[in-house]
Amino acid sequence: MTDDPFLRLAPVVRLAPAKLNLTLAVLGKRRDGFHDLHSVAVPLGLADRLSVAPAAGAEDTLRVDGHDAGPTEDNLVLRAVSAARRAVGRGAATVPLAIRLEKRIPVAAGLGGGSSDAAAALDAALEAWQAPPDLVDRAAIAATLGSDVPFFLAGGSALLEGRGERATLLPDLTGQPLGVLLVTPPTALSTAVVFAAFDAAATAGSGSTRLTSEHLASEWRAGLSGRALLDRAGILAVANDLSAPANVLAPALLPLRRALTRLLHRSIGQTGSGPTLWALYPSLEEAEAAAAELHDAVETKRLPAIGESGPSIAATTILRREADHEEGSAR
Ligand code: C5P
């Protein structure tokens, strides 16, 4: 044991889950430029892995492996750690941190990976600094980092309102965890650009999306089984007001969606601002079998080619709140 506070700090490891919007209603544009939303979102087993340890130097450092997340200096993770340090002030010794991020979630794909990394970094930094639990308002810091970040701090399925930052937890789905198949074409879509295309189309969000979203939230609040959610997949798959602008910006998306519907005999939805498409399954095993079938369809060119790299295909599950989001801290 050493008295050096640097060396006494334990590395902290966090899993940063992806999210899936089962519904996404755009209610209208606000004066601040953001849009009011009504969305039911779930955290997924597919996750980035973040680890935080004391840095050797005087600055926070970030190393990113896996899916290319762009220049590290622009990464929301570093902004989250800086925001946490400012909020902590003199309340704890906020030593510089060496952060490692393994990106397993496709980037700019509608899966919220960057926001989830930021929430995980905020939480991990506070733990690494051993900041007293009530020292800072995590949700308030999260909301300054991005509209999606508070959802990831909430740590479960949630109803999202306001610009998305008002997350109200919903109970876990009952029964066997549902499987989710994710198909991400190699066309990054910026959230801001998709919202701008939504505005340019000058159509209001579909009232039926809002009704579907509100109905799902009220059913879910009363307690919903995974099976019942699966029965609603067809209606949920068309309950995303950002699908139409995403289809305009990424013209390959609609043919891909049609091909997936034909191949998988499932309702295919879009998460967030896209371009990731989803299908729900009764179990992880069935989602994995569908992923294997799709890999085969890509090889045999039964799926329309998009770009050179082909789509990224993943099978995962909807996470439950009681499931541990932490991988544990290595000491
Ligand atoms: O909050 P976040 O930084 O993730 O949002 C990225 C961009 O997406 C915003 O700058 C805004 O253009 C758009 N956006 C929006 N309405 C929301 C959320 C995001 O217009 N509710």
Side-chain angles (χ1 to χ4, degrees):
M1 198 65 186
T2 168
D3 285 337
D4 182 341
F6 253 52
L7 299 179
R8 266 195 284 123
L9 288 173
V12 177
V13 178
R14 286 282 183 283
L15 287 180
K19 66 115 175 83
L20 190 75
N21 299 94
L22 290 166
T23 58
L24 179 49
V26 182
L27 308 185
K29 192 167 181 180
R30 316 181 339 172
R31 283 172 183 222
D32 62 6
F34 285 88
H35 295 74
D36 274 321
L37 307 178
H38 191 285
S39 174
V40 175
V42 294
L44 299 177
L46 173 69
D48 291 339
R49 184 178 183 277
L50 183 102
S51 82
V52 162
E59 306 253 313
D60 296 323
T61 60
L62 174 64
R63 179 178 146 189
V64 184
D65 297 309
H67 283 290
D68 183 9
T72 46
E73 61 274 18
D74 297 344
N75 198 295
L76 208 49
V77 160
L78 287 174
R79 282 177 40 205
V81 171
S82 300
R85 183 175 285 113
R86 275 196 304 279
V88 165
R90 293 168 181 272
T94 56
V95 299
L97 297 175
I99 306 153
R100 282 194 61 178
L101 179 60
E102 271 172 52
K103 290 290 307 170
R104 299 165 184 164
I105 306 172
V107 175
L111 292 164
S115 301
S116 186
D117 298 340
L122 172 60
D123 202 53
L126 292 170
E127 185 175 323
W129 297 327
Q130 297 173 3
D134 297 329
L135 185 64
V136 300
D137 182 346
R138 290 167 198 240
I141 304 172
T144 67
L145 294 167
S147 308
D148 273 352
V149 183
F151 163 72
F152 292 103
L153 276 187
S157 299
L159 164 63
L160 309 181
E161 294 170 288
R163 62 183 165 90
E165 89 289 8
R166 267 171 40 216
T168 310
L169 278 173
L170 295 167
D172 283 330
L173 294 171
T174 57
Q176 174 169 270
L178 286 190
V180 179
L181 176 72
L182 300 171
V183 181
T184 308
T187 335
L189 279 180
S190 137
T191 307
V193 172
V194 176
F195 273 107
F198 175 89
D199 291 338
T203 51
S206 142
S208 69
T209 303
R210 179 183 190 155
L211 285 179
T212 300
S213 193
E214 288 174 350
H215 189 230
L216 178 69
S218 73
E219 284 188 308
W220 200 313
R221 263 192 295 262
L224 197 68
S225 68
R227 190 76 235 178
L229 186 69
L230 208 55
D231 289 343
R232 288 154 181 71
I235 193 98
L236 302 179
V238 292
N240 184 336
D241 286 336
L242 294 181
S243 281
N247 287 338
V248 171
L249 293 166
L253 206 48
L254 201 52
L256 174 67
R257 198 164 165 163
R258 286 205 200 96
L260 290 173
T261 311
R262 269 199 311 274
L263 273 166
L264 302 171
H265 308 290
R266 292 260 147 192
S267 302
I268 306 292
Q270 171 185 301
T271 178
S273 50
T276 300
L277 302 174
W278 56 259
L280 298 180
Y281 287 85
S283 66
L284 175 62
E285 290 70 27
E286 281 160 273
E288 283 172 342
E293 195 180 326
L294 274 193
H295 279 294
D296 184 64
V298 170
E299 298 259 303
T300 54
K301 305 207 178 347
R302 284 177 293 134
L303 258 196
I306 310 164
E308 282 170 17
S309 48
S312 146
I313 299 165
T316 185
T317 51
I318 295 180
L319 278 186
R320 301 189 211 200
R321 211 169 335 151
E322 75 250 28
D324 197 358
H325 285 240
E326 294 177 25
E327 218 176 43
S329 1
R331 271 167 206 269

